[in-house]
Each structure stands twice: as C-alpha cells, then as structure tokens.
Amino acid sequence: MLKLLVTDLDGTLLKIGNELSAGISDENREALTAFVNEGGHVAIASSRGADAQTLISGLLGVPVAAIGMNGFIILNEDGEKINEHWMEFDDFAELAEFIQKHRINGSLITRGDDGGSYGFGSEATYPQRLTPDSPVIRQNWRLEFADFASRSGRCSKISLFVEPAQHSEASRLLHAAFDGRFEIAASDVDMLDVSPVGINKGSGILELAWAAGIHKDEIAVVGDNENDLSMFKVIPLSYCIDHAAPAIQAQASCSVATVAQALALARKAAE
C-alpha cells in the first residue's frame, strides 16, 4: 500500500499549464488532500528552503513533511527538524574563487547557521543583471545577501545562479573539479546546487522514511529535473513530469502529465 508521496515543487507540483511555478492546480490539490484524508502522507522535496513547507501546507490545507534545499534539511509533518547537513564557509570561498577563475557569469548564495543569507556577486553579475534568455521566474526578482567574506563556520547548501548560456559549461567544470567532494545538480536552467557529497533529495527521502517507519516500497516520487534523479534512483515508484528533458524522463519508471496522475498510478501499483 502506498503510504507516502514525495513531490518536487517548481515544474512539478506547482506547474499549471506551461507555467512552472504558477501554483497548485485543482486537480493536484484534490488528489493530494484525498490521499491524506484517507491516511496517506505527502512530502515536498525541493531546492527551496524550509519555509516552503508552510507555503505548501497552506495551499493544500493538509500537513506535509519537507526535504528542503536538496536534502540539506529534513522536517516532519509537524515542522520538527529530523536532520541538517552543513557545509563550511571555506567551501563557499573555494567556489567563489572557482567561478572567478573560470569567468562564470553568476552569483553564489547560501545560508549561515545564524539564519542570515550570504553571497558572492555584484550588480554586474547574473542574476542581478539579467540576460535575454533568463527564465520568467527571475523577472522582478533579485538576490539579497550580505557579503560572505567576514563569515566562517557552517553554511547550508550553496546555490550558483548562472547565466543560462553558461549553465552547461559551468556544470561540466564543477563536476570535473569537485566530483567526489560535493554533490552537484541542476535545479533550474540557470541554477546549480552544491551540497555535501551524498546529500541530495534521495538521501533526504531515506532519512524521512526511516524516521516515519515507512519502507521505500511504500513511497512514490515525482520530479522533473536533474536534482530529482537521486529520488528516482532510490525509490522504485518514480514518475517524471512529461515536459522534462528526455534524459531525465528515461531515469524514471514512468512519465506523467501531473502529480495527480502519478499518485493514481502509484496507488494502483502499490496495491
């Protein structure tokens, strides 16, 4: 029996029509609330922070667990912290030097253990200065952060917002330099996330499942991007939204149009 559905947000649960972050459709809301009311559980897995849990719980009207920042933080349905996986500001400084050296047009941002946002970038770098191929979600939006230079100690996962035209090359360079040290995954066409090695959405699901006493065969996952591949690898019932790149869809057990469709198929498969 299916006990837990884990869904990505942007491009997945929040996709309405061609808008990737428009909100939760009536179809998805009705399916998920019915599942919870019948005894099931829902969790979100996103590159967004822990505040997404409150947002999605409010939109659905039911409690949800959360795997935030691509596995950095895991929260149960009551918002209680199960675990966090910190990086170091020394890692951030190394990445800042790296993007300077390779002339990557982008900005880095992270969260310190004091709750503050810290970054590296300027008014002249992406996404403070947008390019013609910038995604719609970046319009009327800007990063706000304090300079990281005076910081030491722990930080959360690190996000690189990079000019879309440089995204593939930036990913290649990061993997070549840091595979084995860091987990690197694309979260959007202009965003790469860097986490401690082995920390990702998939590891977060396993931590959440262990805490809740749920077996991985009682879980289904839905996603659409490279940072969702770790979920597809650890959970057999994996579903990919059908607007995703073919290489991403190929890693899931099935492609679907909506989260509601994935839930219906998963419940049938888990009977």
Side-chain angles (χ1 to χ4, degrees), residues 21-178:
S21 304
I24 301 177
S25 68
D26 291 341
E27 177 194 9
N28 285 337
R29 183 182 297 105
E30 290 168 6
L32 292 179
T33 54
F35 178 58
V36 172
N37 290 336
E38 293 167 16
H41 300 273
V42 173
I44 58 172
S46 175
S47 64
R48 297 193 188 202
D51 55 348
Q53 181 183 41
T54 302
L55 171 67
I56 300 303
S57 292
L59 291 174
L60 288 175
V62 296
V64 299
I67 298 148
M69 298 186 179
N70 286 348
F72 163 69
I73 186 167
I74 301 96
L75 304 169
N76 66 18
E77 291 176 346
D78 296 320
E80 297 169 340
K81 183 170 62 181
I82 295 171
N83 207 352
E84 285 179 320
H85 300 278
W86 294 95
M87 299 183 72
E88 299 291 330
F89 271 99
D90 286 347
D91 300 325
F92 192 100
E94 186 174 358
L95 288 167
E97 183 179 346
F98 183 85
I99 68 170
Q100 280 187 301
K101 175 183 177 181
H102 292 280
R103 299 182 179 179
I104 295 169
N105 178 20
S107 300
L108 294 167
I109 192 165
T110 191
R111 179 170 66 83
D113 56 11
D114 62 351
S117 293
Y118 297 91
F120 174 77
S122 73
E123 292 296 323
T125 57
Y126 189 90
Q128 311 292 38
R129 178 175 292 177
L130 296 176
T131 55
D133 54 356
S134 304
V136 173
I137 195 173
R138 302 290 176 243
Q139 305 301 321
N140 302 315
W141 177 92
R142 59 185 287 110
L143 291 176
E144 294 184 358
F145 54 78
D147 193 321
F148 83 97
S150 62
R151 289 291 301 171
S152 61
R154 304 186 304 176
C155 65
S156 71
K157 66 100 170 172
I158 300 165
S159 294
L160 169 62
F161 289 88
V162 58
E163 178 183 346
Q166 286 191 319
H167 186 275
S168 294
E169 179 64 5
S171 178
R172 185 191 69 79
L173 290 168
L174 285 167
H175 278 286
F178 297 111

Side-chain angles (χ1 to χ4, degrees), residues 5-10 12-13 42-48 52 56 65-71 73 200-202 204-205 208 221-224 227-228 230-231:
L5 178 81
V6 183
T7 176
D8 171 53
L9 293 182
D10 299 287
T12 304
L13 180 60
V42 173
I44 58 172
S46 175
S47 64
R48 297 193 188 202
I56 300 303
I67 298 148
M69 298 186 179
N70 286 348
I73 186 167
N200 48 50
K201 291 185 181 184
I205 289 172
L208 177 64
V221 298
V222 197
D224 75 318
N227 65 342
D228 298 312
S230 61
M231 300 197 298

Side-chain angles (χ1 to χ4, degrees), residues 181-202:
R181 278 189 59 199
F182 300 143
E183 193 93 7
I184 300 157
S187 294
D188 209 332
V189 296
D190 65 344
M191 184 178 179
L192 292 161
D193 281 324
V194 181
S195 305
V197 67
I199 301 303
N200 48 50
K201 291 185 181 184

